Amino acid sequence: MEHVKLTSGEWNVLNCLWEQHPRTVMQIAGELEKTVGWRRSTTITTLHRMEAKGLIRCERMGRGTAYVPLVDREGAETAETRSFLDRVYRGSVGMMMSAMAQRQELSGDEIAELRAILDQAEKGGPQ
């Protein structure tokens, strides 16, 4: 499936389904009520729209139905990150990191984590 730009509501539903699937409407609605304050009707409307867009699929489970994601988490995250970088920082990770560092938005732990990621990338290994 080619990348489709996801709304924040679609991210909410997909995050729920990526954690565990298949999930019933009641399970999804309960989770989203706790995490983002959605009413059941909002969840149902969003599920129907996502199914129509081909982002999720409804499956029969016994006497009920459940939903599964049709969008890969890693692919969605990569595409969203690239889109954000292109829109905000003209595609430059360096510009983004510089902006964050100048605003002192990185903790010491985050800086150490980024160093480890960069060291691993420089060696050509998995991150």
Side-chain angles (χ1 to χ4, degrees):
M1 167 182 220
E2 78 179 56
H3 174 69
V4 176
K5 183 148 177 58
L6 301 173
T7 66
S8 81
E10 291 166 349
W11 276 102
N12 290 333
V13 170
L14 285 170
N15 279 320
C16 180
L17 289 172
W18 286 328
E19 284 178 20
Q20 177 188 345
H21 63 273
R23 280 193 176 185
T24 66
V25 171
M26 294 308 291
Q27 290 170 322
I28 297 167
E31 178 71 21
L32 294 176
E33 182 180 6
K34 284 189 300 189
T35 59
V36 293
W38 281 9
R39 293 184 179 271
R40 185 172 177 265
S41 60
T42 302
T43 299
I44 291 170
T45 300
T46 303
L47 288 169
H48 289 301
R49 287 182 182 158
M50 290 177 71
E51 188 175 15
K53 287 174 76 173
L55 301 173
I56 59 175
R57 181 178 67 233
C58 186
E59 297 181 343
R60 294 288 299 157
M61 276 187 58
R63 292 179 7 193
T65 58
Y67 289 90
V68 296
L70 296 177
V71 175
D72 172 66
R73 179 193 293 257
E74 186 175 326
E77 289 172 345
T78 299
E80 186 71 20
T81 301
R82 177 51 49 202
S83 174
F84 170 77
L85 281 173
D86 289 346
R87 278 190 331 270
V88 179
Y89 295 103
R90 294 176 290 195
S92 172
V93 173
M95 284 177 63
M96 180 185 70
M97 298 310 300
S98 177
M100 293 178 77
Q102 288 175 6
R103 293 183 195 111
Q104 298 179 339
E105 293 179 10
L106 297 172
S107 70
D109 288 345
E110 289 169 326
I111 292 169
E113 182 180 0
L114 287 169
R115 277 197 183 107
I117 291 168
L118 293 172
D119 289 345
Q120 195 64 37
E122 195 170 55
K123 293 176 187 171
Q127 299 171 15

